[in-house]
């Protein structure tokens, strides 16, 4: 069997609001064990499989699209905050 380093989500003892972090890196001898631990950690393996079925170009386009959405939401949030501050100052 192939040995390698695997990244897992650890929902316990993290500083994130949702209780999860992705920082545990360790060596595993058994790929089946790695898959089972990923499943127990809540990783959506069907989503991983579907993303890996995409071509590199399709994954890059999806990533770019997600980034565009993230920036648009960030700008909308900043505009809302500015608007809320202005409204509070008027009162």
């Amino acid at each position: 069997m192939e040995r390698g380093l695997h990244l897992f989500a650890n929902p316990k003892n993290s500083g994130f609001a949702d209780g999860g972090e992705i920082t545990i890196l360790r060596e595993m001898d058994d790929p089946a064990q790695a898959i089972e631990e990923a499943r127990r950690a809540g990783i959506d393996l069907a989503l991983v499989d579907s993303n890996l079925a995409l071509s590199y170009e399709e994954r890059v386009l999806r990533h770019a699209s997600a980034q565009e959405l993230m920036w648009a939401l960030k700008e909308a949030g900043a505009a809302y905050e500015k608007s809320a501050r202005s409204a509070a100052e008027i009162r």
Side-chain angles (χ1 to χ4, degrees):
M1 284 189 204
E2 192 175 14
R3 290 179 64 144
L5 295 176
H6 300 276
L7 188 62
F8 293 99
N10 179 8
K12 297 179 183 169
N13 302 321
S14 74
F16 292 99
D18 68 356
E21 64 181 8
I22 302 179
T23 55
I24 296 176
L25 192 62
R26 60 191 167 133
E27 198 166 323
M28 296 205 141
D29 293 324
D30 183 9
Q33 178 187 1
I35 291 169
E36 184 54 36
E37 286 196 30
R39 188 174 287 119
R40 279 196 308 261
I43 295 173
D44 184 350
L45 297 176
L47 181 59
V48 171
D49 286 340
S50 68
N51 281 326
L52 290 174
L54 298 173
S55 70
Y56 173 76
E57 291 80 12
E58 289 169 319
R59 290 195 304 268
V60 168
L61 289 172
R62 284 189 179 194
H63 178 72
S65 177
Q67 281 185 315
E68 287 176 21
L69 175 60
M70 184 261 321
W71 286 114
L73 291 172
K74 188 173 184 172
E75 289 174 8
Y80 173 79
E81 289 293 324
K82 183 178 178 182
S83 164
R85 276 195 302 273
S86 295
E89 290 172 1
I90 293 173
R91 293 181 191 172

